[in-house]
Amino acid sequence: MWRATILTLFPDMFPGPLGLSLAGDALARGVWALETRQIREHGIGRHRAVDDTPAGGGPGMVMRADVLAAAIDAAAPAGDLRPRLLMSPRGRPLTQERVRALAAGPGAIILCARFEGVDERIIAARNLEEVSIGDYILSGGEVAALALMDACVRLLPGVMGEELSGEEESFEGGLLEYPHYTRPRDFEGREIPEILLSGDHAKIAKWRHEQALALTRARRPDLLAGRKE
């Protein structure tokens, strides 16, 4: 079973949308498991403080290394081989390749930071892998964690209806996905391309590849760097 453990100050945000549709059905069937842990349970003092002012001054607050260490150690005892992820805008961008690797493993332990971030020392001390879902700032790591889990869970065996539906998608072959069409044949004067109605599967496959290549070249030329066509 693929297991996700979320360390957060807002456990009520989970499973959120992952409790619905295919992911929610798979969760109910035991295809994957989700555990949320309240970081504040390991907070300091009567008020369970989890943060403090930044060393050297500056705005905001920083999550304490000792509090996070206690939370991580409680969630991941010795022998837990799941990767430890920290959702962070400065992390390496999440790619479909990394998602596939995570989905093929035992699961993940995901730390959702808040405030200005975490004490830098916890990253090395607990071997955290910083992961980013884009070049923008969120209020915390929870939404990013949901996105990462959604990307992984949908690849687990028994979640999607057809295995091929996970293979012919954007980024799977290094290209953006080709355009899709369905009924009606004519929509406000815009018709389905005739090639898709021809029944010639070889020509359709060639057309789709050409469309995917053209879309990628126009929108994400960075994906074509070093690619031989």
Side-chain angles (χ1 to χ4, degrees):
M1 179 188 295
W2 196 86
R3 297 186 302 118
T5 297
I6 308 297
L7 305 179
T8 174
L9 293 174
F10 300 98
D12 288 345
M13 293 182 70
F14 299 90
L18 296 184
L20 305 173
S21 190
L22 296 178
D25 177 67
L27 182 62
R29 289 188 287 113
V31 175
W32 69 290
L34 174 63
E35 175 191 24
T36 57
R37 286 179 170 260
Q38 171 59 265
I39 296 173
R40 200 170 295 282
E41 291 180 0
H42 304 275
I44 305 299
R46 182 162 59 93
H47 298 293
R48 298 288 187 181
V50 299
D51 57 343
D52 211 325
T53 55
M61 303 289 278
V62 177
M63 299 187 77
R64 295 175 54 129
D66 52 355
V67 171
L68 294 177
I72 293 169
D73 293 346
D80 193 326
L81 301 180
R82 290 177 296 167
R84 301 172 178 185
L85 312 179
L86 169 63
M87 307 313 298
S88 166
R90 75 177 198 180
R92 289 184 177 178
L94 183 64
T95 64
Q96 190 66 14
E97 181 182 12
R98 183 65 181 122
V99 166
R100 280 202 169 275
L102 288 170
I109 298 165
I110 307 175
L111 173 59
C112 301
R114 283 271 163 172
F115 315 122
E116 293 300 311
V118 305
D119 186 309
E120 185 72 17
R121 294 170 293 180
I122 191 61
I123 298 173
R126 293 301 182 270
N127 191 31
L128 303 182
E129 174 190 344
E130 294 183 80
V131 179
S132 170
I133 64 165
D135 296 340
Y136 45 85
I137 308 299
L138 299 171
S139 299
E142 288 80 10
V143 171
L146 286 167
L148 182 147
M149 286 192 295
D150 181 80
C152 291
V153 168
R154 63 190 300 278
L155 297 182
L156 300 178
V159 175
M160 287 194 290
E162 292 186 39
E163 293 234 356
L164 285 177
S165 65
E167 296 177 3
E168 296 186 5
E169 297 180 319
S170 291
F171 309 115
E172 284 296 345
L175 300 174
L176 299 184
E177 193 172 11
Y178 53 79
H180 292 282
Y181 299 87
T182 188
R183 294 182 179 86
R185 181 167 180 167
D186 183 298
F187 171 68
E188 297 183 352
R190 296 171 173 83
E191 295 193 353
I192 296 175
E194 283 296 327
I195 186 67
L196 299 179
L197 306 174
S198 68
D200 190 322
H201 297 296
K203 289 183 178 180
I204 291 172
K206 182 175 183 293
W207 180 89
R208 285 174 168 170
H209 177 75
E210 290 171 347
Q211 291 294 309
L213 188 60
L215 277 170
T216 306
R217 186 177 291 116
R219 300 179 184 180
R220 290 291 304 277
D222 56 298
L223 295 177
L224 298 176
R227 181 186 177 92
K228 295 181 179 179
E229 287 296 333

